[in-house]
Amino acid sequence: MEETYLLNVEGVKKKILHGGRGELPKLQDGSKFTFHFQTLKDDFERTVIDDSREAGMPMEIIVGKMFKLEIWETLLSSMRIGEVAEFWCDAIHTGMYALVSRGMRRIAEGRDPLEGQKHRCGMGNMFDYHSTGYDDLDELQRTPQPLIFIMELFRVEDPSAYKRDTWAMSKEEKLAAVPVLHSEGNRLVLRREFAQAAAKYQEAVICLRNLQAKEKPWEDGWLKLESLVTPLVLNYCQCQLELGEYYEVLEHTTELLQKHNDNAKAYFKRAKAHAAVWNEREAREDFQRVAHLDPSMAAAVKKELKQLGERMRKKHVEDRKRYQGLFQSSQG
């Protein structure tokens, strides 16, 4: 099929590789596209930049939410279900691709797509993005160029037909979701389903962190959201203690205490994690801080310190026996 200009959009050409079925989907704000895509350079080798099949997960975007790469919404809107199409897009449409790709790659790697992003105005953010962390994407940022997108559209769902992903929610939806997730997490803890509970608390924290990214740090709006984040992080850490993920607890409690160095519960959970991984000095220091900050926890601290002392004495005895055994065998 010959290339044609798509929907009279300047700088875009479309080639249908495999016809779809039915009519063009009826779209509304909040409709969700699910599709696979390949991104290629417009060079002789047609160098592949990204391939969602290799990442192992299809892509999803919400109509009206794809603010960084609006052209994708236009491309997908021209497709039928089951259609495979190749789109050539001029550089006027691809300038933001490196940032979008960075986010998608981080999600595929299990990382936060907003990691390292600062609260700055649009012009300020241009300077924060001096490196994406990926050499090929840095090159695209330095020299914007035409790109080829090969897309296969699987389905289009109305807003009421799917569970809204956190990133696709409005501010009001995120705020409404937080207490629901918190409550679900608490219910799962009572059933001792700690991994599932941790996931609920984590999702609630992500909702709030996304909202915080739009506020100025330490101002009223940011502080109100932070007051909701803190108990969720502590609940998450308690689940990780139950699951034996002690280094995860050390990481999150330390991060929390960098902002709130008077939080006795955070010190208590960090102390327990230190004790579990045999960091005796650090555990004792944190337990002592807990007793100083919150005298009502003194009895719990005393009990933990006693258990820590017994565990350390037992470990020292076992270590001595092991070293003696090694020494005797080497003498023999």
Side-chain angles (χ1 to χ4, degrees):
M1 185 175 289
E2 289 189 4
E3 292 182 358
T4 57
Y5 282 99
L6 166 68
L7 305 177
N8 297 317
V9 177
E10 182 183 355
V12 178
K13 296 177 184 178
K14 175 180 179 181
K15 186 192 295 182
I16 296 177
L17 305 180
H18 183 278
R21 58 185 181 274
E23 300 296 317
L24 286 174
K26 290 183 172 62
L27 301 174
Q28 54 182 299
D29 220 37
S31 294
K32 181 166 78 170
F33 292 109
T34 303
F35 60 101
H36 267 307
F37 74 94
Q38 260 193 332
T39 304
L40 304 92
K41 285 188 178 180
D42 184 21
D43 56 14
F44 181 75
E45 297 84 5
R46 286 168 64 96
T47 306
V48 176
I49 299 170
D50 289 306
D51 186 337
S52 61
R53 283 189 172 81
E54 282 191 9
M57 51 193 277
M59 182 69 183
E60 297 176 345
I61 68 170
I62 310 296
V63 173
K65 298 287 185 180
M66 195 66 184
F67 58 93
K68 282 185 181 170
L69 201 64
E70 292 175 4
I71 193 63
W72 272 17
E73 190 176 307
T74 305
L75 306 183
L76 290 160
S77 298
S78 77
M79 298 177 69
R80 291 171 169 79
I81 305 300
E83 181 179 321
V84 182
E86 177 177 310
F87 300 92
W88 177 91
C89 294
D90 201 356
I92 58 170
H93 298 296
T94 64
M96 297 297 285
Y97 182 76
L99 300 185
V100 172
S101 175
R102 177 184 71 166
M104 292 187 294
R105 291 183 187 187
R106 284 181 169 176
I107 289 168
E109 293 164 5
R111 297 163 63 194
D112 179 357
L114 299 176
E115 177 188 318
Q117 212 164 290
K118 299 176 184 176
H119 178 82
R120 297 273 291 277
C121 65
M123 187 61 71
N125 275 327
M126 289 173 65
F127 297 101
D128 287 334
Y129 292 137
H130 61 280
S131 175
T132 63
Y134 304 93
D135 291 342
D136 58 337
L137 298 183
D138 286 346
E139 181 200 338
L140 286 182
Q141 277 207 134
R142 285 192 297 270
T143 55
Q145 56 196 268
L147 294 173
I148 296 164
F149 302 112
I150 300 175
M151 295 177 159
E152 179 179 1
L153 181 60
F154 296 133
R155 60 181 174 270
V156 178
E157 298 168 271
D158 290 338
S160 59
Y162 64 91
K163 180 180 179 290
R164 298 291 290 275
D165 292 318
T166 299
W167 63 269
M169 293 178 180
S170 67
K171 177 180 178 179
E172 292 72 22
E173 287 170 330
K174 285 174 183 168
L175 284 171
V178 168
V180 175
L181 291 165
H182 198 158
S183 177
E184 288 175 354
N186 292 348
R187 180 175 52 80
L188 288 162
V189 165
L190 291 173
R191 288 160 48 180
R192 301 193 65 77
E193 295 177 18
F194 297 113
Q196 295 90 329
K200 295 292 183 184
Y201 295 136
Q202 187 174 38
E203 190 177 347
V205 169
I206 289 169
C207 281
L208 294 168
R209 291 293 189 214
N210 286 345
L211 293 173
Q212 268 191 319
K214 297 176 176 63
E215 303 284 345
K216 289 187 178 179
W218 302 105
E219 292 196 357
D220 286 348
W222 188 94
L223 287 168
K224 284 178 184 175
L225 292 166
E226 185 68 14
S227 69
L228 299 174
V229 167
T230 300
L232 287 162
V233 172
L234 290 171
N235 286 1
Y236 174 82
C237 287
Q238 184 59 42
C239 290
Q240 298 304 322
L241 280 174
E242 298 284 354
L243 293 165
E245 299 290 347
Y246 304 118
Y247 290 102
E248 180 94 351
V249 177
L250 291 175
E251 178 186 343
H252 287 284
T253 50
T254 299
E255 185 182 331
L256 191 64
L257 287 164
Q258 285 169 354
K259 296 177 188 171
H260 312 287
N261 62 4
D262 59 347
N263 192 302
K265 289 181 179 177
Y267 279 119
F268 189 76
K269 293 184 195 307
R270 190 171 74 171
K272 289 188 66 126
H274 275 309
V277 296
W278 306 106
N279 296 338
E280 182 182 12
R281 180 179 58 81
E282 292 88 345
R284 289 187 180 280
E285 286 176 359
D286 277 353
F287 279 132
Q288 285 163 6
R289 285 194 189 100
V290 173
H292 174 71
L293 288 167
D294 187 352
S296 71
M297 297 180 72
V301 166
K302 186 177 179 182
K303 180 182 174 184
E304 291 289 341
L305 285 171
K306 184 181 177 184
Q307 288 178 351
L308 175 61
E310 289 170 354
R311 285 182 70 234
M312 294 310 300
R313 276 192 293 276
K314 188 176 178 183
K315 183 176 185 292
H316 292 324
V317 169
E318 289 173 354
D319 286 347
R320 267 202 306 275
K321 286 179 180 175
R322 191 178 301 116
Y323 294 140
Q324 284 173 354
L326 287 170
F327 180 75
Q328 288 167 358
S329 62
S330 65
Q331 291 295 312

